[in-house]
Amino acid sequence: EKGGMHWEQLLADVEIQSTSGGGETSQVMWRSLRNPASAPWTTQEVEEAMRSRVACAAEEVKGLRGGPRVAALMQAQSLELAATGKAFAVLRKGGHLGVGSPLLFGLRCLARMSPAQKIEAVELYRAEGLVVGMCG
């Protein structure tokens, strides 16, 4: 816990599954870094958790400058997400990461990304009106 608030840290992991037609599908599963033995979260579960946090925070800070974006940033801090370039690509392809995406405000760590993916990530955050810095 940090400051009396429960924190959860989830790492996006890409699982590749074979299909009956001989093809493959990629699915992102989110694993807890605090409790690795726990069952993984689906992307839909993580999105719902982020939406709930954003909705609660929006009610609490209605009058603040920045409105819903400020609220989203404040509340998303209790759920930290990390993803690799591979997971980022699968999430983007599946429509789970974009402007207004509930996952966007929870992502704190992006690793092993190509230069093009880094530019894409920076542009997503800037489209939300945020100031962004990228290392590496």
Side-chain angles (χ1 to χ4, degrees):
E1 288 194 28
K2 291 184 181 179
M5 184 185 292
H6 173 75
W7 284 58
E8 182 65 70
Q9 297 169 320
L10 302 177
L11 173 64
D13 190 16
V14 177
E15 292 184 356
I16 299 174
Q17 300 169 341
S18 298
T19 62
S20 58
E24 293 181 336
T25 61
S26 298
Q27 180 178 357
V28 174
M29 298 303 289
W30 299 84
R31 304 201 187 284
S32 172
L33 296 176
R34 291 172 47 113
N35 187 6
S38 66
W41 296 35
T42 65
T43 296
Q44 291 74 22
E45 290 171 327
V46 175
E47 286 176 325
E48 184 57 37
M50 291 302 300
R51 276 190 205 95
S52 295
R53 284 171 166 76
V54 169
C56 290
E59 287 300 313
E60 292 174 16
V61 294
K62 274 187 175 171
L64 287 180
R65 183 172 176 237
R69 289 189 179 137
V70 171
L73 286 171
M74 288 176 62
Q75 194 63 23
Q77 290 177 7
S78 64
L79 181 60
E80 295 179 336
L81 307 177
T84 63
K86 193 175 194 177
F88 181 84
V90 172
L91 290 167
R92 287 286 289 156
K93 185 177 180 182
H96 298 286
L97 266 182
V99 175
S101 161
L103 296 181
L104 190 60
F105 290 116
L107 275 172
R108 297 286 184 263
C109 179
L110 296 167
R112 298 184 179 178
M113 296 179 74
S114 70
Q117 286 177 314
K118 290 177 185 179
I119 291 169
E120 189 176 4
V122 167
E123 288 174 350
L124 282 173
Y125 286 106
R126 290 187 69 201
E128 291 287 353
L130 302 173
V131 176
V132 183
M134 178 73 74
C135 299

